[in-house]
Amino acid sequence: AVCLGASVPLHVEGGDQYEWQAAPGIFSLFTPDPEVSPIADQYYFVLVSNTCGTAIDSAFVDVQQVMADAWPDTTVCPGETVKLFATGGLFYSWSPTTALSDPDSSITFAAPLAPVTYIVTATNALGCEGTATATVQHFPNSFVNAGQDTGIDFGESTQLFGYGGGSMVWSPAVSLTCDSCVAPVASPQQSTTYTLEMTDGNGCKVSDQVTVFVNGTLYVPNTFTPDGDGLNDGFFAFATEIAEFR
């Protein structure tokens, strides 16, 4: 057996003269030891002659070719992980190895930072090789802006503004008038960082953050009703982020 593209020596003996029959991959016809480079499985026939007569014999060369395949060619969101597959061999080697989970396996995970074409080399038990490619492209980068950080006094509200081309979700939603609108009103009881996540038309997600700082988180009501009805019977202050009262 021989790999496609390689040469193999043939040998015949027992005669005084030798004549190989013309066939693909053989170029020396009148020698007992020609080298052949067949492009497919091939029989080579030779006439062996001496003073007693002529006989015919043959040699068969098994040509092995690795038909490698790799997939998928795909386009994904920047930073997204892709599962790549290869077939056709017994051993595999991916190149470049950048951002690959296992460059020596038929199945590997790729998370390239930029578009890239991976080349996989498949090798069979004889050492014959074949190559295939899988290309990972990226959708265009999307942009989202959650606005500028701001400050409010305790008990006040502020409106947030999100900028971007896609569907938006704010979190945490507990102190917002809505979590899926572009401009919710925020009424945090303490300084809070809100995350705005946007999903664009390709399904790619990007995020940005904005912080609302709550200044002087202290509220003292100016009235109370000590009438024993369980409502506003005691005078006290509402406060957060306070180390000590005096």
Side-chain angles (χ1 to χ4, degrees), residues 2 59 78 89 105 160:
V2 62
S105 173
L160 306 180

Side-chain angles (χ1 to χ4, degrees), residues 54-144:
T54 300
I56 188 170
D57 202 355
S58 66
F60 176 74
V61 179
D62 174 24
V63 177
Q64 296 191 12
Q65 181 179 4
V66 175
M67 302 297 294
D69 191 17
W71 72 93
D73 291 330
T74 186
T75 302
V76 298
C77 301
E80 184 178 347
T81 298
V82 181
K83 193 175 185 180
L84 301 178
F85 302 86
T87 58
L90 185 61
F91 308 101
Y92 300 90
S93 177
W94 294 85
S95 177
T97 59
T98 306
L100 290 179
S101 63
D102 190 351
D104 298 316
S105 173
S106 62
I107 301 176
T108 187
F109 292 89
L113 298 178
V116 61
T117 295
Y118 290 102
I119 301 173
V120 62
T121 300
T123 307
N124 68 6
L126 189 63
C128 305
E129 296 180 347
T131 61
T133 62
T135 299
V136 179
Q137 299 282 0
H138 281 170
F139 290 117
N141 287 311
S142 294
F143 171 79
V144 67

Side-chain angles (χ1 to χ4, degrees), residues 145-151 158-161 163 208-212:
N145 190 338
Q148 296 295 317
D149 294 345
T150 188
T158 186
Q159 191 165 29
L160 306 180
F161 293 94
Y163 303 90
D208 192 26
Q209 292 183 325
V210 61
T211 299
V212 177

Side-chain angles (χ1 to χ4, degrees), residues 87-246:
T87 58
L90 185 61
F91 308 101
Y92 300 90
S93 177
W94 294 85
S95 177
T97 59
T98 306
L100 290 179
S101 63
D102 190 351
D104 298 316
S105 173
S106 62
I107 301 176
T108 187
F109 292 89
L113 298 178
V116 61
T117 295
Y118 290 102
I119 301 173
V120 62
T121 300
T123 307
N124 68 6
L126 189 63
C128 305
E129 296 180 347
T131 61
T133 62
T135 299
V136 179
Q137 299 282 0
H138 281 170
F139 290 117
N141 287 311
S142 294
F143 171 79
V144 67
N145 190 338
Q148 296 295 317
D149 294 345
T150 188
I152 62 172
D153 291 329
F154 181 71
E156 292 184 348
S157 300
T158 186
Q159 191 165 29
L160 306 180
F161 293 94
Y163 303 90
S167 59
M168 301 184 186
V169 176
W170 297 86
S171 63
V174 63
S175 56
L176 300 176
T177 53
C178 65
D179 63 353
S180 58
C181 52
V182 175
V185 174
S187 303
Q189 298 297 302
Q190 60 187 6
S191 297
T192 302
T193 297
Y194 297 95
T195 299
L196 173 61
E197 183 180 79
M198 187 194 75
T199 304
D200 65 16
N202 295 315
C204 301
K205 299 180 183 297
V206 290
S207 63
D208 192 26
Q209 292 183 325
V210 61
T211 299
V212 177
F213 296 97
V214 179
N215 303 313
T217 55
L218 175 64
Y219 174 70
V220 181
N222 57 12
T223 59
F224 73 108
T225 57
D227 56 6
D229 65 354
L231 299 174
N232 299 318
D233 287 335
F235 180 74
F236 56 91
F238 298 94
T240 61
E241 301 176 352
I242 300 298
E244 180 184 358
F245 279 105
R246 186 177 62 181

